[in-house]
PDB file of all heavy atoms in Angstrom:
ATOM      1  N   TYR A 129       3.452  39.222 -29.857  1.00  0.00           N
ATOM      2  CA  TYR A 129       2.759  39.671 -31.090  1.00  0.00           C
ATOM      3  C   TYR A 129       1.657  38.629 -31.440  1.00  0.00           C
ATOM      4  O   TYR A 129       1.615  37.478 -31.019  1.00  0.00           O
ATOM      5  CB  TYR A 129       3.660  39.855 -32.253  1.00  0.00           C
ATOM      6  CG  TYR A 129       4.460  38.590 -32.628  1.00  0.00           C
ATOM      7  CD1 TYR A 129       3.959  37.772 -33.646  1.00  0.00           C
ATOM      8  CD2 TYR A 129       5.763  38.289 -31.997  1.00  0.00           C
ATOM      9  CE1 TYR A 129       4.652  36.626 -34.068  1.00  0.00           C
ATOM     10  CE2 TYR A 129       6.365  37.130 -32.466  1.00  0.00           C
ATOM     11  CZ  TYR A 129       5.871  36.332 -33.389  1.00  0.00           C
ATOM     12  OH  TYR A 129       6.505  35.226 -33.795  1.00  0.00           O
ATOM     13  N   ARG A 140       0.047  38.216 -41.122  1.00  0.00           N
ATOM     14  CA  ARG A 140       1.221  39.068 -40.851  1.00  0.00           C
ATOM     15  C   ARG A 140       1.221  39.234 -39.261  1.00  0.00           C
ATOM     16  O   ARG A 140       0.162  39.214 -38.627  1.00  0.00           O
ATOM     17  CB  ARG A 140       1.039  40.506 -41.471  1.00  0.00           C
ATOM     18  CG  ARG A 140       1.064  40.608 -42.923  1.00  0.00           C
ATOM     19  CD  ARG A 140       2.446  40.301 -43.470  1.00  0.00           C
ATOM     20  NE  ARG A 140       2.459  40.421 -44.989  1.00  0.00           N
ATOM     21  CZ  ARG A 140       2.160  39.464 -45.857  1.00  0.00           C
ATOM     22  NH1 ARG A 140       1.883  38.229 -45.454  1.00  0.00           N
ATOM     23  NH2 ARG A 140       2.117  39.707 -47.199  1.00  0.00           N
ATOM     24  N   SER A 141       2.346  39.546 -38.720  1.00  0.00           N
ATOM     25  CA  SER A 141       2.567  39.686 -37.257  1.00  0.00           C
ATOM     26  C   SER A 141       2.399  41.211 -36.859  1.00  0.00           C
ATOM     27  O   SER A 141       3.010  42.008 -37.555  1.00  0.00           O
ATOM     28  CB  SER A 141       3.872  39.138 -36.806  1.00  0.00           C
ATOM     29  OG  SER A 141       4.158  37.872 -37.373  1.00  0.00           O
ATOM     30  N   TYR A 142       1.758  41.392 -35.791  1.00  0.00           N
ATOM     31  CA  TYR A 142       1.726  42.794 -35.226  1.00  0.00           C
ATOM     32  C   TYR A 142       1.809  42.627 -33.631  1.00  0.00           C
ATOM     33  O   TYR A 142       1.172  41.807 -33.022  1.00  0.00           O
ATOM     34  CB  TYR A 142       0.371  43.555 -35.588  1.00  0.00           C
ATOM     35  CG  TYR A 142       0.384  43.780 -37.090  1.00  0.00           C
ATOM     36  CD1 TYR A 142      -0.188  42.893 -37.955  1.00  0.00           C
ATOM     37  CD2 TYR A 142       1.112  44.843 -37.567  1.00  0.00           C
ATOM     38  CE1 TYR A 142      -0.151  42.969 -39.351  1.00  0.00           C
ATOM     39  CE2 TYR A 142       1.163  44.958 -39.016  1.00  0.00           C
ATOM     40  CZ  TYR A 142       0.566  44.108 -39.898  1.00  0.00           C
ATOM     41  OH  TYR A 142       0.648  44.196 -41.238  1.00  0.00           O
ATOM     42  N   SER A 143       2.653  43.573 -33.097  1.00  0.00           N
ATOM     43  CA  SER A 143       2.889  43.426 -31.646  1.00  0.00           C
ATOM     44  C   SER A 143       1.839  44.166 -30.797  1.00  0.00           C
ATOM     45  O   SER A 143       1.197  45.177 -31.337  1.00  0.00           O
ATOM     46  CB  SER A 143       4.288  44.179 -31.345  1.00  0.00           C
ATOM     47  OG  SER A 143       5.287  43.637 -32.182  1.00  0.00           O
ATOM     48  N   VAL A 144       1.702  43.689 -29.657  1.00  0.00           N
ATOM     49  CA  VAL A 144       0.552  44.324 -28.782  1.00  0.00           C
ATOM     50  C   VAL A 144       1.165  45.323 -27.781  1.00  0.00           C
ATOM     51  O   VAL A 144       2.170  45.008 -27.113  1.00  0.00           O
ATOM     52  CB  VAL A 144      -0.107  43.110 -28.012  1.00  0.00           C
ATOM     53  CG1 VAL A 144      -1.292  43.650 -27.143  1.00  0.00           C
ATOM     54  CG2 VAL A 144      -0.543  42.006 -28.948  1.00  0.00           C
ATOM     55  N   HIS A 156       0.075  49.143 -33.395  1.00  0.00           N
ATOM     56  CA  HIS A 156       0.523  50.290 -34.100  1.00  0.00           C
ATOM     57  C   HIS A 156       0.941  49.751 -35.465  1.00  0.00           C
ATOM     58  O   HIS A 156       1.839  48.950 -35.593  1.00  0.00           O
ATOM     59  CB  HIS A 156       1.629  50.898 -33.401  1.00  0.00           C
ATOM     60  CG  HIS A 156       1.470  51.378 -32.052  1.00  0.00           C
ATOM     61  ND1 HIS A 156       2.375  51.892 -31.174  1.00  0.00           N
ATOM     62  CD2 HIS A 156       0.241  51.399 -31.311  1.00  0.00           C
ATOM     63  CE1 HIS A 156       1.847  52.206 -29.990  1.00  0.00           C
ATOM     64  NE2 HIS A 156       0.615  51.918 -30.049  1.00  0.00           N
ATOM     65  N   VAL A 157       0.227  50.189 -36.556  1.00  0.00           N
ATOM     66  CA  VAL A 157       0.524  49.624 -37.812  1.00  0.00           C
ATOM     67  C   VAL A 157       0.979  50.611 -38.739  1.00  0.00           C
ATOM     68  O   VAL A 157       0.361  51.580 -39.038  1.00  0.00           O
ATOM     69  CB  VAL A 157      -0.784  49.003 -38.396  1.00  0.00           C
ATOM     70  CG1 VAL A 157      -0.495  48.331 -39.780  1.00  0.00           C
ATOM     71  CG2 VAL A 157      -1.351  47.889 -37.395  1.00  0.00           C
ATOM     72  N   ARG A 158       2.258  50.373 -39.294  1.00  0.00           N
ATOM     73  CA  ARG A 158       2.840  51.343 -40.282  1.00  0.00           C
ATOM     74  C   ARG A 158       2.366  50.845 -41.610  1.00  0.00           C
ATOM     75  O   ARG A 158       2.349  49.642 -41.914  1.00  0.00           O
ATOM     76  CB  ARG A 158       4.384  51.254 -40.165  1.00  0.00           C
ATOM     77  CG  ARG A 158       5.041  52.192 -41.262  1.00  0.00           C
ATOM     78  CD  ARG A 158       6.474  52.193 -41.043  1.00  0.00           C
ATOM     79  NE  ARG A 158       7.264  51.231 -41.593  1.00  0.00           N
ATOM     80  CZ  ARG A 158       7.634  51.118 -42.875  1.00  0.00           C
ATOM     81  NH1 ARG A 158       7.416  52.135 -43.759  1.00  0.00           N
ATOM     82  NH2 ARG A 158       8.300  50.051 -43.362  1.00  0.00           N
ATOM     83  N   LEU A 159       1.974  51.919 -42.461  1.00  0.00           N
ATOM     84  CA  LEU A 159       1.544  51.512 -43.816  1.00  0.00           C
ATOM     85  C   LEU A 159       2.747  51.388 -44.665  1.00  0.00           C
ATOM     86  O   LEU A 159       3.535  52.246 -44.885  1.00  0.00           O
ATOM     87  CB  LEU A 159       0.703  52.729 -44.314  1.00  0.00           C
ATOM     88  CG  LEU A 159       0.140  52.574 -45.757  1.00  0.00           C
ATOM     89  CD1 LEU A 159      -0.849  51.435 -45.854  1.00  0.00           C
ATOM     90  CD2 LEU A 159      -0.506  53.799 -46.214  1.00  0.00           C
ATOM     91  N   VAL A 160       2.939  50.062 -45.126  1.00  0.00           N
ATOM     92  CA  VAL A 160       4.120  49.713 -45.970  1.00  0.00           C
ATOM     93  C   VAL A 160       3.631  49.998 -47.440  1.00  0.00           C
ATOM     94  O   VAL A 160       2.626  49.497 -47.782  1.00  0.00           O
ATOM     95  CB  VAL A 160       4.532  48.250 -45.761  1.00  0.00           C
ATOM     96  CG1 VAL A 160       5.468  47.808 -46.898  1.00  0.00           C
ATOM     97  CG2 VAL A 160       5.107  48.139 -44.412  1.00  0.00           C
ATOM     98  N   PRO A 161       4.349  50.725 -48.206  1.00  0.00           N
ATOM     99  CA  PRO A 161       3.989  50.969 -49.673  1.00  0.00           C
ATOM    100  C   PRO A 161       3.683  49.655 -50.332  1.00  0.00           C
ATOM    101  O   PRO A 161       4.492  48.710 -50.188  1.00  0.00           O
ATOM    102  CB  PRO A 161       5.200  51.707 -50.209  1.00  0.00           C
ATOM    103  CG  PRO A 161       5.920  52.261 -49.075  1.00  0.00           C
ATOM    104  CD  PRO A 161       5.695  51.352 -47.824  1.00  0.00           C
ATOM    105  N   GLU A 162       2.666  49.511 -50.983  1.00  0.00           N
ATOM    106  CA  GLU A 162       2.170  48.264 -51.659  1.00  0.00           C
ATOM    107  C   GLU A 162       1.941  47.153 -50.727  1.00  0.00           C
ATOM    108  O   GLU A 162       1.774  46.074 -51.095  1.00  0.00           O
ATOM    109  CB  GLU A 162       3.278  47.800 -52.759  1.00  0.00           C
ATOM    110  CG  GLU A 162       3.829  48.877 -53.619  1.00  0.00           C
ATOM    111  CD  GLU A 162       2.889  49.168 -54.780  1.00  0.00           C
ATOM    112  OE1 GLU A 162       2.656  48.198 -55.535  1.00  0.00           O
ATOM    113  OE2 GLU A 162       2.655  50.346 -54.902  1.00  0.00           O
ATOM    114  N   GLY A 163       1.894  47.459 -49.456  1.00  0.00           N
ATOM    115  CA  GLY A 163       1.709  46.403 -48.472  1.00  0.00           C
ATOM    116  C   GLY A 163       0.322  45.777 -48.424  1.00  0.00           C
ATOM    117  O   GLY A 163      -0.702  46.523 -48.308  1.00  0.00           O
ATOM    118  N   LEU A 164       0.215  44.480 -48.540  1.00  0.00           N
ATOM    119  CA  LEU A 164      -1.066  43.830 -48.562  1.00  0.00           C
ATOM    120  C   LEU A 164      -1.825  43.981 -47.221  1.00  0.00           C
ATOM    121  O   LEU A 164      -2.962  44.496 -47.290  1.00  0.00           O
ATOM    122  CB  LEU A 164      -0.815  42.220 -48.890  1.00  0.00           C
ATOM    123  CG  LEU A 164      -1.990  41.357 -48.879  1.00  0.00           C
ATOM    124  CD1 LEU A 164      -2.917  41.707 -50.038  1.00  0.00           C
ATOM    125  CD2 LEU A 164      -1.716  39.962 -48.812  1.00  0.00           C
ATOM    126  N   VAL A 165      -1.301  43.570 -46.182  1.00  0.00           N
ATOM    127  CA  VAL A 165      -1.987  43.471 -44.873  1.00  0.00           C
ATOM    128  C   VAL A 165      -2.061  44.887 -44.197  1.00  0.00           C
ATOM    129  O   VAL A 165      -3.023  45.296 -43.674  1.00  0.00           O
ATOM    130  CB  VAL A 165      -1.440  42.370 -43.983  1.00  0.00           C
ATOM    131  CG1 VAL A 165      -2.282  42.397 -42.749  1.00  0.00           C
ATOM    132  CG2 VAL A 165      -1.532  41.068 -44.698  1.00  0.00           C
ATOM    133  N   SER A 166      -0.937  45.646 -44.149  1.00  0.00           N
ATOM    134  CA  SER A 166      -0.988  46.974 -43.587  1.00  0.00           C
ATOM    135  C   SER A 166      -1.896  47.848 -44.349  1.00  0.00           C
ATOM    136  O   SER A 166      -2.590  48.686 -43.754  1.00  0.00           O
ATOM    137  CB  SER A 166       0.427  47.480 -43.496  1.00  0.00           C
ATOM    138  OG  SER A 166       1.028  47.746 -44.717  1.00  0.00           O
ATOM    139  N   GLY A 167      -1.931  47.740 -45.640  1.00  0.00           N
ATOM    140  CA  GLY A 167      -2.908  48.604 -46.469  1.00  0.00           C
ATOM    141  C   GLY A 167      -4.263  48.256 -46.073  1.00  0.00           C
ATOM    142  O   GLY A 167      -5.165  49.146 -45.916  1.00  0.00           O
ATOM    143  N   THR A 205       7.291  51.640 -35.449  1.00  0.00           N
ATOM    144  CA  THR A 205       6.292  50.991 -34.630  1.00  0.00           C
ATOM    145  C   THR A 205       6.912  49.968 -33.691  1.00  0.00           C
ATOM    146  O   THR A 205       6.133  49.282 -32.944  1.00  0.00           O
ATOM    147  CB  THR A 205       5.281  50.328 -35.562  1.00  0.00           C
ATOM    148  OG1 THR A 205       5.965  49.515 -36.635  1.00  0.00           O
ATOM    149  CG2 THR A 205       4.415  51.312 -36.299  1.00  0.00           C
ATOM    150  N   GLY A 206       8.215  49.867 -33.653  1.00  0.00           N
ATOM    151  CA  GLY A 206       8.853  49.065 -32.546  1.00  0.00           C
ATOM    152  C   GLY A 206       8.390  49.699 -31.173  1.00  0.00           C
ATOM    153  O   GLY A 206       8.580  49.118 -30.145  1.00  0.00           O
ATOM    154  N   ALA A 208       5.398  49.862 -30.232  1.00  0.00           N
ATOM    155  CA  ALA A 208       4.193  49.133 -29.687  1.00  0.00           C
ATOM    156  C   ALA A 208       4.617  48.097 -28.619  1.00  0.00           C
ATOM    157  O   ALA A 208       4.185  48.244 -27.458  1.00  0.00           O
ATOM    158  CB  ALA A 208       3.421  48.561 -30.934  1.00  0.00           C
ATOM    159  N   PRO A 209       5.506  47.153 -28.965  1.00  0.00           N
ATOM    160  CA  PRO A 209       5.854  46.269 -27.917  1.00  0.00           C
ATOM    161  C   PRO A 209       6.496  46.900 -26.689  1.00  0.00           C
ATOM    162  O   PRO A 209       6.348  46.534 -25.589  1.00  0.00           O
ATOM    163  CB  PRO A 209       6.789  45.292 -28.609  1.00  0.00           C
ATOM    164  CG  PRO A 209       7.192  45.960 -29.932  1.00  0.00           C
ATOM    165  CD  PRO A 209       6.120  46.923 -30.163  1.00  0.00           C
ATOM    166  N   ASP A 294      12.180  47.659 -36.721  1.00  0.00           N
ATOM    167  CA  ASP A 294      12.772  47.371 -38.008  1.00  0.00           C
ATOM    168  C   ASP A 294      13.947  46.341 -37.798  1.00  0.00           C
ATOM    169  O   ASP A 294      14.820  46.574 -36.855  1.00  0.00           O
ATOM    170  CB  ASP A 294      13.304  48.654 -38.594  1.00  0.00           C
ATOM    171  CG  ASP A 294      14.196  48.346 -39.882  1.00  0.00           C
ATOM    172  OD1 ASP A 294      13.506  48.239 -40.927  1.00  0.00           O
ATOM    173  OD2 ASP A 294      15.326  48.305 -39.767  1.00  0.00           O
ATOM    174  N   ASP A 318      12.943  41.586 -30.777  1.00  0.00           N
ATOM    175  CA  ASP A 318      11.764  41.305 -31.519  1.00  0.00           C
ATOM    176  C   ASP A 318      11.965  41.991 -32.921  1.00  0.00           C
ATOM    177  O   ASP A 318      11.418  43.110 -33.094  1.00  0.00           O
ATOM    178  CB  ASP A 318      10.533  41.761 -30.817  1.00  0.00           C
ATOM    179  CG  ASP A 318       9.382  40.905 -31.304  1.00  0.00           C
ATOM    180  OD1 ASP A 318       9.553  40.236 -32.259  1.00  0.00           O
ATOM    181  OD2 ASP A 318       8.359  41.185 -30.788  1.00  0.00           O
ATOM    182  N   PRO A 319      12.715  41.446 -33.817  1.00  0.00           N
ATOM    183  CA  PRO A 319      12.891  42.112 -35.165  1.00  0.00           C
ATOM    184  C   PRO A 319      11.641  42.043 -35.984  1.00  0.00           C
ATOM    185  O   PRO A 319      11.203  40.875 -36.120  1.00  0.00           O
ATOM    186  CB  PRO A 319      14.141  41.528 -35.743  1.00  0.00           C
ATOM    187  CG  PRO A 319      14.390  40.192 -34.939  1.00  0.00           C
ATOM    188  CD  PRO A 319      13.496  40.209 -33.717  1.00  0.00           C
ATOM    189  N   PHE A 320      11.239  43.085 -36.587  1.00  0.00           N
ATOM    190  CA  PHE A 320      10.019  42.996 -37.471  1.00  0.00           C
ATOM    191  C   PHE A 320      10.457  42.592 -38.853  1.00  0.00           C
ATOM    192  O   PHE A 320      10.445  43.473 -39.782  1.00  0.00           O
ATOM    193  CB  PHE A 320       9.360  44.329 -37.572  1.00  0.00           C
ATOM    194  CG  PHE A 320       8.648  44.799 -36.286  1.00  0.00           C
ATOM    195  CD1 PHE A 320       8.731  44.147 -35.023  1.00  0.00           C
ATOM    196  CD2 PHE A 320       8.025  46.024 -36.235  1.00  0.00           C
ATOM    197  CE1 PHE A 320       8.127  44.547 -33.946  1.00  0.00           C
ATOM    198  CE2 PHE A 320       7.457  46.502 -35.036  1.00  0.00           C
ATOM    199  CZ  PHE A 320       7.474  45.863 -33.900  1.00  0.00           C
ATOM    200  N   GLU A 321      10.754  41.395 -39.098  1.00  0.00           N
ATOM    201  CA  GLU A 321      11.233  40.876 -40.356  1.00  0.00           C
ATOM    202  C   GLU A 321       9.995  40.972 -41.376  1.00  0.00           C
ATOM    203  O   GLU A 321       8.843  40.580 -40.981  1.00  0.00           O
ATOM    204  CB  GLU A 321      11.661  39.440 -40.315  1.00  0.00           C
ATOM    205  CG  GLU A 321      12.784  39.058 -39.303  1.00  0.00           C
ATOM    206  CD  GLU A 321      14.126  39.444 -39.838  1.00  0.00           C
ATOM    207  OE1 GLU A 321      14.248  39.952 -40.905  1.00  0.00           O
ATOM    208  OE2 GLU A 321      15.052  39.396 -39.039  1.00  0.00           O
ATOM    209  N   ALA A 322      10.182  41.341 -42.584  1.00  0.00           N
ATOM    210  CA  ALA A 322       9.084  41.348 -43.544  1.00  0.00           C
ATOM    211  C   ALA A 322       8.746  39.953 -43.870  1.00  0.00           C
ATOM    212  O   ALA A 322       9.684  39.029 -43.889  1.00  0.00           O
ATOM    213  CB  ALA A 322       9.574  42.092 -44.773  1.00  0.00           C
ATOM    214  N   ALA A 323       7.461  39.632 -44.095  1.00  0.00           N
ATOM    215  CA  ALA A 323       7.005  38.422 -44.559  1.00  0.00           C
ATOM    216  C   ALA A 323       7.565  37.915 -45.858  1.00  0.00           C
ATOM    217  O   ALA A 323       7.706  38.915 -46.729  1.00  0.00           O
ATOM    218  CB  ALA A 323       5.545  38.314 -44.471  1.00  0.00           C
ATOM    219  N   VAL A 325       7.468  37.036 -49.530  1.00  0.00           N
ATOM    220  CA  VAL A 325       6.413  37.342 -50.593  1.00  0.00           C
ATOM    221  C   VAL A 325       6.780  36.564 -51.884  1.00  0.00           C
ATOM    222  O   VAL A 325       7.910  36.121 -52.128  1.00  0.00           O
ATOM    223  CB  VAL A 325       6.287  38.845 -50.925  1.00  0.00           C
ATOM    224  CG1 VAL A 325       5.437  39.529 -49.958  1.00  0.00           C
ATOM    225  CG2 VAL A 325       7.594  39.554 -51.164  1.00  0.00           C
TER     226      VAL A 325
HETATM  227  C1  FAD B   1       7.469  39.618 -34.798  1.00  0.00           C
HETATM  228  C2  FAD B   1       6.925  40.721 -35.695  1.00  0.00           C
HETATM  229  C3  FAD B   1       6.215  41.823 -35.199  1.00  0.00           C
HETATM  230  C4  FAD B   1       5.768  42.825 -35.950  1.00  0.00           C
HETATM  231  N1  FAD B   1       5.092  43.897 -35.307  1.00  0.00           N
HETATM  232  C5  FAD B   1       4.731  44.959 -36.143  1.00  0.00           C
HETATM  233  C6  FAD B   1       4.023  46.067 -35.520  1.00  0.00           C
HETATM  234  O1  FAD B   1       3.791  46.163 -34.383  1.00  0.00           O
HETATM  235  N2  FAD B   1       3.737  47.141 -36.394  1.00  0.00           N
HETATM  236  C7  FAD B   1       4.065  47.049 -37.794  1.00  0.00           C
HETATM  237  O2  FAD B   1       3.656  47.963 -38.363  1.00  0.00           O
HETATM  238  N3  FAD B   1       4.638  45.977 -38.356  1.00  0.00           N
HETATM  239  C8  FAD B   1       4.972  44.906 -37.591  1.00  0.00           C
HETATM  240  N4  FAD B   1       5.601  43.846 -38.107  1.00  0.00           N
HETATM  241  C9  FAD B   1       5.673  43.840 -39.622  1.00  0.00           C
HETATM  242  C10 FAD B   1       4.437  43.242 -40.236  1.00  0.00           C
HETATM  243  O3  FAD B   1       4.214  41.861 -39.810  1.00  0.00           O
HETATM  244  C11 FAD B   1       4.362  43.250 -41.829  1.00  0.00           C
HETATM  245  O4  FAD B   1       5.601  42.686 -42.222  1.00  0.00           O
HETATM  246  C12 FAD B   1       4.258  44.635 -42.358  1.00  0.00           C
HETATM  247  O5  FAD B   1       3.024  45.291 -41.838  1.00  0.00           O
HETATM  248  C13 FAD B   1       4.150  44.537 -43.925  1.00  0.00           C
HETATM  249  O6  FAD B   1       3.174  43.668 -44.336  1.00  0.00           O
HETATM  250  P1  FAD B   1       2.372  44.088 -45.581  1.00  0.00           P
HETATM  251  O7  FAD B   1       1.399  42.903 -45.843  1.00  0.00           O
HETATM  252  O8  FAD B   1       1.739  45.275 -45.455  1.00  0.00           O
HETATM  253  O9  FAD B   1       3.467  44.118 -46.749  1.00  0.00           O
HETATM  254  P2  FAD B   1       3.851  43.004 -47.764  1.00  0.00           P
HETATM  255  O10 FAD B   1       2.819  42.881 -48.742  1.00  0.00           O
HETATM  256  O11 FAD B   1       4.318  41.798 -46.970  1.00  0.00           O
HETATM  257  O12 FAD B   1       5.122  43.687 -48.418  1.00  0.00           O
HETATM  258  C14 FAD B   1       4.986  44.609 -49.543  1.00  0.00           C
HETATM  259  C15 FAD B   1       6.370  45.061 -50.010  1.00  0.00           C
HETATM  260  O13 FAD B   1       7.029  45.700 -49.004  1.00  0.00           O
HETATM  261  C16 FAD B   1       8.225  45.101 -48.674  1.00  0.00           C
HETATM  262  N5  FAD B   1       8.241  45.275 -47.140  1.00  0.00           N
HETATM  263  C17 FAD B   1       7.547  44.649 -46.220  1.00  0.00           C
HETATM  264  N6  FAD B   1       7.893  45.014 -45.036  1.00  0.00           N
HETATM  265  C18 FAD B   1       8.831  45.864 -45.203  1.00  0.00           C
HETATM  266  C19 FAD B   1       9.650  46.732 -44.310  1.00  0.00           C
HETATM  267  N7  FAD B   1       9.456  46.659 -42.973  1.00  0.00           N
HETATM  268  N8  FAD B   1      10.503  47.555 -44.775  1.00  0.00           N
HETATM  269  C20 FAD B   1      10.696  47.678 -46.148  1.00  0.00           C
HETATM  270  N9  FAD B   1      10.045  46.957 -47.082  1.00  0.00           N
HETATM  271  C21 FAD B   1       9.096  46.120 -46.600  1.00  0.00           C
HETATM  272  C22 FAD B   1       8.055  43.542 -49.000  1.00  0.00           C
HETATM  273  O14 FAD B   1       9.247  42.962 -49.291  1.00  0.00           O
HETATM  274  C23 FAD B   1       7.249  43.792 -50.330  1.00  0.00           C
HETATM  275  O15 FAD B   1       8.011  44.044 -51.377  1.00  0.00           O
HETATM  276  C24 FAD B   1       6.043  42.767 -37.391  1.00  0.00           C
HETATM  277  C25 FAD B   1       6.717  41.708 -37.930  1.00  0.00           C
HETATM  278  C26 FAD B   1       7.183  40.690 -37.081  1.00  0.00           C
HETATM  279  C27 FAD B   1       7.889  39.549 -37.731  1.00  0.00           C
END
Side-chain angles (χ1 to χ4, degrees):
Y129 63 92
R140 298 286 186 271
S141 307
Y142 294 95
S143 307
V144 183
H156 302 174
V157 180
R158 180 172 84 85
L159 180 64
V160 170
E162 316 275 309
L164 176 70
V165 180
S166 61
T205 49
D294 177 85
D318 203 356
F320 292 3
E321 304 282 358
V325 280

